[in-house]
Each structure stands twice: as structure tokens, then as C-alpha cells.
Amino acid sequence: MDVIIILSLFAIFLGGLVRTYFGFGEALISMPLLALIGLETHTAISVVGLAGLFVASLNIFSGYRNIKYNVLFLMLVGSLVGIPIGIWILRYFNINIVQMMLGGFLIVYGTYSLCKFLFFNNGMRVVLKSNIWSGITGIVSGILGSLYNSHGVPVVIYGTLSRWHIKDFRSTIQAHFFLTAIFVVMGQGFGGIWTEQTIPLFLLSLPCLIISVIIGKYLSKLTSYNHFEKWLYLFIVILGALILIT
């Protein structure tokens, strides 16, 4: 098997593992690795899109009982509002500046939350309870989804500030990503993003993705909420750094 294919499968595997454990972030893990490997850009984008949809489908059906359906509905409605706003920003604003602001915000937020968790865990915490935050989260998610395919970041931040149980957290954001991924994959297919390598590489990646889901679920069962929250904040910092780098 070609070395590029083997390395690509490993990159997709890591993305699936991260997606299953944290509930988001596979694109920001797999895409830079695939770019370093030298995989053609449209192939990488389309395969990661299909892989994300496949992993989300496995996770959503195993955790549907823990989905917060009212929150999910409001976020999806908000996303429909945010998507055209993101497209408007793409047309009229300097995306590099917006990207730097996003990456910087994630680094600051993740670092602050991690330090507060480690050193001031008994202090007062902000808890979002009003449903209006679900709609606002959806709008921001739609905007960032249009800009960077990073629609998961605001949903994750909202989930941490709402103090969801770890099972509710993963199941709800996986459901949100599953539904949005359907439209993403359809758009990529009809938009000519798929290449001759897309389907063959995706089919080759299926065993890797299944294994990544199994390992991710096993690791999540071993992780208490407190430990998960700590790793989540650290991961947000890493994502912010990746956004600035890429």
C-alpha cells in the first residue's frame, strides 16, 4: 500500500478518535496532517467530511437517549441564521484578522478555564441556563461553520458553561454535528469537491474509523467528568494554536 495512503489513514484515524472522545475537532486534527502528507486538497476535504459524518452516525445512534432535543433544535435554528452571516463576512471582511481573533480567543478562553479549573476550582462558576443561549450558540456556530468549518467550537464552549453531564455533552453535540454534516457532505458532493480518490480512500478508512470509535468510547468510559473537563480545556488551547498556525 502506498505510504501516502497509510499516513492518510492514520490521520483520519486520529481525527475519528478525537471526535469520539471530545465530541468535536476532527477536521482541525486531520486536515493539517493530510496537508503535511501531501494529499490533494479537495480529496482531503471531502474524505474528512465523509469520515466526520460516519463517526457522528455511530456516536449519535449509541447515545440518542442523552440528547437534549430542545437545545439541539434551538441551535440548529440559530445555525440557519448564522450561516448566511458567515458567508457575508467572507465576502466583505479580512478573514485573516477574523481567524487570528478566533484562534486568540480560544487560547485565552482555554488557558483561563484550565487555570481556573486547576487552581480555583472552588470559586464561583458561570452557568448558562436560559434557552436564549442555545440560539445564540447556534448563530455563532453557523458563522464559524461558514468561515472555517469550525461550527463545533461555540457548541463545546456552551456545553461547558451549561455544566452538562459528560454523556449529555457528547450526545448533544454529536447530534448537532451529524445533522450539519449531512448538509456539508451534500454541498461538497454537488459542489464538485469530490475527486476520484474520495470514495476509495473513504472506504479504506472505514475500519480505522470503527476502531477509533471503539477506542474513543473506551477512553471516555474511563474518564470522569472532572478529568474530561481538564483535557477539554487543554484541547481548546491546542485548537486555537492550530487555527493561528494554519
Side-chain angles (χ1 to χ4, degrees):
M1 187 179 293
D2 189 274
V3 175
I4 292 181
I5 299 298
I6 294 175
L7 293 177
S8 298
L9 293 177
F10 180 69
I12 295 170
F13 165 81
L14 287 179
L17 181 62
V18 166
R19 173 65 171 270
T20 301
Y21 184 77
F22 288 107
F24 76 113
E26 80 287 352
L28 291 175
I29 295 297
S30 296
M31 287 300 297
L33 292 176
L34 293 174
L36 289 174
I37 292 167
L39 190 67
E40 196 273 328
T41 302
H42 282 187
T43 301
I45 292 173
S46 55
V47 170
V48 170
L50 286 170
L53 178 59
F54 180 74
V55 171
S57 66
L58 294 180
N59 287 306
I60 188 177
F61 291 123
S62 62
Y64 69 93
R65 294 184 181 87
N66 302 108
I67 296 173
K68 292 180 173 291
Y69 288 99
N70 59 327
V71 173
L72 176 62
F73 174 76
L74 291 173
M75 286 195 299
L76 289 174
V77 172
S79 294
L80 295 177
V81 176
I83 288 172
I85 297 176
I87 295 173
W88 179 75
I89 292 174
L90 274 174
R91 296 180 62 183
Y92 297 105
F93 285 83
N94 188 323
I95 302 306
N96 290 330
I97 295 177
V98 179
Q99 181 172 343
M100 290 177 63
M101 292 174 60
L102 174 61
F105 169 76
L106 292 181
I107 292 174
V108 172
Y109 172 79
T111 302
Y112 166 78
S113 299
L114 182 60
C115 291
K116 186 176 181 181
F117 175 82
L118 292 176
F119 304 112
F120 306 100
N121 202 25
N122 295 325
M124 184 180 66
R125 289 195 171 192
V126 176
V127 180
L128 303 181
K129 294 183 178 180
S130 174
N131 286 334
I132 192 173
W133 292 109
S134 302
I136 294 174
T137 299
I139 294 173
V140 178
S141 175
I143 294 173
L144 293 182
S146 297
L147 293 175
Y148 306 112
N149 289 321
S150 302
H151 52 269
V153 172
V155 180
V156 169
I157 293 176
Y158 172 60
T160 58
L161 292 178
S162 298
R163 306 298 297 167
W164 292 345
H165 186 276
I166 187 171
K167 291 183 178 179
D168 299 337
F169 178 91
R170 288 199 185 93
S171 298
T172 302
I173 62 177
Q174 289 286 3
H176 180 265
F177 298 159
F178 172 74
L179 294 174
T180 54
I182 292 175
F183 294 102
V184 169
V185 169
M186 290 175 60
Q188 291 173 349
F190 289 115
I193 302 299
W194 288 17
T195 68
E196 294 180 355
Q197 292 181 298
T198 297
I199 297 301
L201 184 56
F202 171 65
L203 293 178
L204 281 175
S205 71
L206 289 179
C208 299
L209 291 172
I210 293 173
I211 294 173
S212 72
V213 170
I214 294 173
I215 296 176
K217 285 186 174 297
Y218 174 74
L219 293 176
S220 66
K221 289 181 180 180
L222 298 178
T223 308
S224 65
Y225 180 81
N226 286 336
H227 285 128
F228 173 75
E229 190 175 8
K230 175 179 65 177
W231 293 120
L232 179 63
Y233 293 141
L234 179 60
F235 185 56
I236 288 175
V237 174
I238 294 173
L239 288 185
L242 286 174
I243 289 175
L244 290 180
I245 293 171
T246 57

